Amino acid sequence: MHISGVFEPKVDIESMKVDIESMKVDIGSTKVDIRNRLLSYSSTLSEKTINHAIDLYIACNEKGYFGRSVVEEVTGLKSSGASKLISILLNSNVIEPVAGKGKGKYKFHCEE
């Protein structure tokens, strides 16, 4: 079998690579901030509840906002548990309502 034709020259892949190190976001300080806000709201919150909040932050960081169904999906909580978690997050000033995205949408309120 014979293949003829003109082949493109080799592309220098090294020069085309994107520096992803500069694109990574340090969410460690935000995790600490969420933990501190929740604990200052109530020192009786379980570690599981705090971890649910952090998992939700990590999952929703890209989109920026979420609703109860996303909380259920990320945490595995049922509807009432997801609503209770949202209530705790609202009351502890970890999240805030979002206007213009539909009823019951929230975003993380993180100090920059």
Side-chain angles (χ1 to χ4, degrees), residues 82-112:
S83 295
K84 186 175 179 181
L85 179 61
I86 289 171
S87 177
I88 291 169
L89 295 174
L90 274 171
N91 292 331
S92 61
N93 200 30
V94 172
I95 63 172
E96 60 190 2
V98 175
K101 300 293 182 183
K103 185 178 176 187
K105 299 296 186 239
Y106 307 92
K107 68 177 183 173
F108 280 88
H109 176 80
C110 299
E111 303 290 327
E112 295 299 325

Side-chain angles (χ1 to χ4, degrees), residues 30-68:
T30 304
K31 287 180 186 180
V32 171
D33 186 41
I34 290 171
R35 178 179 296 282
N36 290 341
R37 285 187 193 189
L38 287 171
L39 289 174
S40 67
Y41 168 70
S42 173
S43 60
T44 61
L45 289 176
S46 71
E47 191 66 26
K48 190 172 185 179
T49 299
I50 293 169
N51 288 336
H52 281 323
I54 292 170
D55 290 344
L56 185 61
Y57 174 78
I58 292 169
C60 297
N61 197 25
E62 289 286 319
K63 191 172 184 182
Y65 65 92
F66 60 92
R68 191 186 70 217

